[in-house]
Amino acid sequence: MAEGDYRVADISLADFGRREIELAEYEMPGLMKTVEEFGKDKPLAGARIAGSLHMTIQTAVLIETLKKLGGDIRWCSCNIFSTQDHAAAAIARDGSAAVFAWKGETLEEYWECTMNAITWTTPDEGGDGPDMIIDDGGDMTLLIHEGKKAEDLFEKDGTVPDPASTDNAEFKLVLTMICRTLKTDPKKWNKIADRFIGVSEETTTGVHRLYQMQESNSLLFRAINVNDSVTKSKFDNLYGCKHSLPDALCRATDVMLAGKKALICGYGDVGKGCAFAMKAAGCITYVTEIDPICALQASMEGFPVVKFETVQSVVDIIVTTTGNKDIIRVEHMAAMKNNAIVSNIGHFDNEIQMEQLEAATTRFNIKPQVDKYVFPDGHGVIVLAEGRLMNLGCATGHPSFVMSNSFTNQTLAQIELWKERKTEKYQKGQVYVLPKVLDERVASYHLGALGVELTELTDDQAGYISVPKVGPFKPDTYRY
């Protein structure tokens, strides 16, 4: 393990990482154009930005974009299996950010990396925390909120968090860390909350958490929901998964997809991309859904919409996409055929009942992030990435071009939060979506790379449909 003001697996991988970063830059025109447009003005100058987002080659380009715009960056991954070690090495060696990430972290190491990424080694007058965060799933956001809550209780009556009060293994670690900071700096999290400008959140699950906190009036700072920018959710979630699901399945198992029966659990944007990918590969593809609108969409695209139990004994490949918990239960897996492939492309690890599966089976490791769990009767299922995000655990995630869309949104969100930090445009405790004009700008940044020629409205045509000639072209209520 290589360490400085960073912790990565192997710093000697940095040259490899740098070469791949240079390739990715060519495929990420949105970020390159953002630097071209804003770089001279350094709109993030003075901003301390902490990131908790998959430490991949594409994220490396995001980090270096933020740095070129003036940001001071610290980073960790948001998943124990998603780091690309050569990417982390290049960022660490070249001083682009203080990065704490490697593939195959334990849960304890994961939360320690999160703590390191959110803690500057040179405190300023506002303390040792960040001004803003880029979060993917909400773990950094959670840590700040839980830390402040614990400090407030400790100051009130001396109450100290009890890690034994929860059965959740990760939350035990969070409470243990907070107990530690109460001893070393009992105002650490309050100082972070006081200086904090806001968060831009990358994914569906993290956004859901933010809206819950907004509803309960417990959200401590401003938030921008990047996930629901059209150029994120309709591109990363749909086209990214359409590419990375079959990539990960093939890298992990070398399975022939054509002719197999696949079950996609959920038909949101992620589920749509997955279902179409499996169909295109020649799979007989089924869908499960709770939402009648999504179910109707799936059916009218030719996908049989079924209950899980209807096909559990015949499907070969099962993919969860929902962001919910207990989608694939241990009794489902017990009923599956031998060597059925079970995987999750949602953010967290609780879509599949992994703890119950571990208790009911014997685990045999095939290769990193590919395991067979054998039931007492001798049949077993193949589980990818221990039920975590399989496209990053077993492959390299989404391709650079589609991540350029997502990360250009992230960059514009950070610029917005920092630029408006002293105004009332974004209120503490509220969640916002980037305005349509910025969504369209992100899309326009990418058109040249694809040779797109846009038709232009005449003045008369623009007036006829009551839109500005240069956009925005759709109302906020429009669903793409």
Side-chain angles (χ1 to χ4, degrees), residues 286-359:
Y286 303 91
V287 166
T288 67
E289 249 305 335
I290 60 166
D291 184 325
I293 296 174
C294 292
L296 184 61
Q297 286 179 316
S299 186
M300 294 185 73
E301 290 288 356
F303 298 110
V305 182
V306 298
K307 289 187 175 180
F308 199 118
E309 292 76 9
T310 303
V311 295
Q312 63 186 11
S313 63
V314 298
V315 287
D316 304 287
I317 300 165
I318 306 93
V319 184
T320 61
T321 73
T322 71
N324 206 332
K325 68 173 187 174
D326 299 332
I327 304 303
I328 302 179
R329 301 191 297 274
V330 68
E331 62 265 28
H332 293 147
M333 291 180 277
M336 290 176 188
K337 62 169 62 175
N338 188 48
N339 279 15
I341 299 167
V342 178
S343 64
N344 166 40
I345 202 168
H347 185 78
F348 292 114
D349 62 340
N350 57 359
E351 296 209 25
I352 303 169
Q353 287 188 339
M354 292 304 300
E355 187 175 340
Q356 294 91 326
L357 181 65
E358 290 269 7

Side-chain angles (χ1 to χ4, degrees), residues 63-195:
I63 289 169
E64 295 192 335
T65 298
L66 297 169
K67 184 177 177 64
K68 289 170 185 174
L69 298 179
D72 178 10
I73 318 298
R74 297 179 74 83
W75 211 268
C76 63
S77 187
C78 61
N79 184 293
I80 62 174
F81 293 132
S82 65
T83 295
Q84 294 168 11
D85 288 325
H86 58 313
I91 292 298
R93 183 199 65 185
D94 297 343
S96 304
V99 59
F100 304 86
W102 59 94
K103 192 177 185 73
E105 299 161 4
T106 65
L107 286 178
E108 185 174 7
E109 289 169 339
Y110 169 83
W111 283 103
E112 288 297 332
C113 286
T114 305
M115 177 68 83
N116 282 320
I118 209 170
T119 304
W120 264 250
T121 55
T122 52
D124 59 17
E125 66 278 3
D128 61 9
D131 298 304
M132 302 184 292
I133 59 177
I134 294 177
D135 220 349
D136 187 351
D139 282 351
M140 269 193 181
T141 301
L142 171 75
L143 186 56
I144 294 170
H145 282 78
E146 291 297 328
K148 183 182 184 306
K149 182 167 70 175
E151 287 178 354
D152 291 347
L153 284 172
F154 181 72
E155 183 178 30
K156 178 183 176 182
D157 58 19
T159 299
V160 175
D162 180 11
S165 65
T166 177
D167 293 328
N168 185 291
E170 291 199 61
F171 198 53
K172 284 181 185 290
L173 294 170
V174 171
L175 295 181
T176 299
M177 285 199 309
I178 292 170
C179 287
R180 189 175 74 216
T181 61
L182 281 173
K183 296 176 182 177
T184 57
D185 183 0
K187 288 292 185 181
K188 174 182 174 66
W189 302 106
N190 270 277
K191 285 185 282 188
I192 289 177
D194 288 344
R195 77 178 292 161

Side-chain angles (χ1 to χ4, degrees), residues 41 66 91 122 135 156 161 216 233 235 240 242 264 313 320 349 368 409 437 473 478:
D41 296 332
L66 297 169
I91 292 298
T122 52
D135 220 349
K156 178 183 176 182
S216 65
S233 61
F235 290 81
K242 193 174 183 179
I264 308 300
S313 63
T320 61
D349 62 340
N409 277 294
V437 65
F473 297 100
Y478 185 82

Side-chain angles (χ1 to χ4, degrees), residues 146-457:
E146 291 297 328
K148 183 182 184 306
K149 182 167 70 175
E151 287 178 354
D152 291 347
L153 284 172
F154 181 72
E155 183 178 30
K156 178 183 176 182
D157 58 19
T159 299
V160 175
D162 180 11
S165 65
T166 177
D167 293 328
N168 185 291
E170 291 199 61
F171 198 53
K172 284 181 185 290
L173 294 170
V174 171
L175 295 181
T176 299
M177 285 199 309
I178 292 170
C179 287
R180 189 175 74 216
T181 61
L182 281 173
K183 296 176 182 177
T184 57
D185 183 0
K187 288 292 185 181
K188 174 182 174 66
W189 302 106
N190 270 277
K191 285 185 282 188
I192 289 177
D194 288 344
R195 77 178 292 161
F196 202 73
I197 307 302
V199 58
S200 54
E201 171 57 52
E202 175 78 3
T203 200
T204 309
T205 306
V207 164
H208 181 63
R209 284 178 170 180
L210 289 173
Y211 282 120
Q212 285 179 322
M213 287 189 283
Q214 177 183 270
E215 287 297 313
S216 65
N217 295 315
S218 60
L219 182 59
L220 296 173
F221 35 74
R222 308 158 187 85
I224 291 182
N225 164 9
V226 166
N227 180 72
D228 288 329
S229 293
V230 177
T231 43
K232 197 281 183 182
S233 61
K234 298 295 180 182
F235 290 81
D236 175 323
N237 297 13
L238 177 62
Y239 299 110
C241 292
K242 193 174 183 179
H243 174 103
S244 62
L245 170 65
D247 180 28
L249 284 169
C250 292
R251 292 194 199 209
T253 66
D254 290 320
V255 68
M256 178 74 176
L257 298 176
K260 296 294 193 301
K261 294 181 176 68
L263 177 63
I264 308 300
C265 301
Y267 197 72
D269 289 324
V270 172
K272 287 178 174 69
C274 293
F276 277 104
M278 293 294 95
K279 184 178 182 179
C283 290
I284 301 163
T285 305
Y286 303 91
V287 166
T288 67
E289 249 305 335
I290 60 166
D291 184 325
I293 296 174
C294 292
L296 184 61
Q297 286 179 316
S299 186
M300 294 185 73
E301 290 288 356
F303 298 110
V305 182
V306 298
K307 289 187 175 180
F308 199 118
E309 292 76 9
T310 303
V311 295
Q312 63 186 11
S313 63
V314 298
V315 287
D316 304 287
I317 300 165
I318 306 93
V319 184
T320 61
T321 73
T322 71
N324 206 332
K325 68 173 187 174
D326 299 332
I327 304 303
I328 302 179
R329 301 191 297 274
V330 68
E331 62 265 28
H332 293 147
M333 291 180 277
M336 290 176 188
K337 62 169 62 175
N338 188 48
N339 279 15
I341 299 167
V342 178
S343 64
N344 166 40
I345 202 168
H347 185 78
F348 292 114
D349 62 340
N350 57 359
E351 296 209 25
I352 303 169
Q353 287 188 339
M354 292 304 300
E355 187 175 340
Q356 294 91 326
L357 181 65
E358 290 269 7
T361 60
T362 302
R363 175 181 175 179
F364 296 92
N365 179 252
I366 298 170
K367 61 182 180 180
Q369 285 80 63
V370 182
D371 297 278
K372 185 168 182 178
Y373 291 83
V374 179
F375 289 89
D377 66 2
H379 96 287
V381 295
I382 297 169
V383 178
L384 305 186
E386 297 181 13
R388 295 176 181 269
L389 198 57
M390 56 84 78
N391 58 335
L392 277 156
C394 299
T396 58
H398 298 341
S400 298
F401 189 83
V402 79
M403 293 313 301
S404 179
N405 285 270
S406 298
F407 289 167
T408 304
N409 277 294
Q410 281 286 7
T411 303
L412 294 177
Q414 291 287 301
I415 292 172
E416 272 286 295
L417 287 170
W418 189 243
K419 181 180 70 175
E420 302 293 344
R421 66 191 183 278
K422 296 179 180 178
T423 74
E424 299 299 314
K425 182 175 181 178
Y426 300 106
Q427 299 288 319
K428 285 188 176 182
Q430 298 298 306
V431 184
Y432 299 86
V433 178
L434 286 172
K436 182 73 67 178
V437 65
L438 293 183
D439 223 341
E440 290 184 1
R441 182 188 295 175
V442 171
S444 70
Y445 283 167
H446 294 83
L447 298 182
L450 300 177
V452 171
E453 296 179 346
L454 277 183
T455 300
E456 295 183 10
L457 291 172

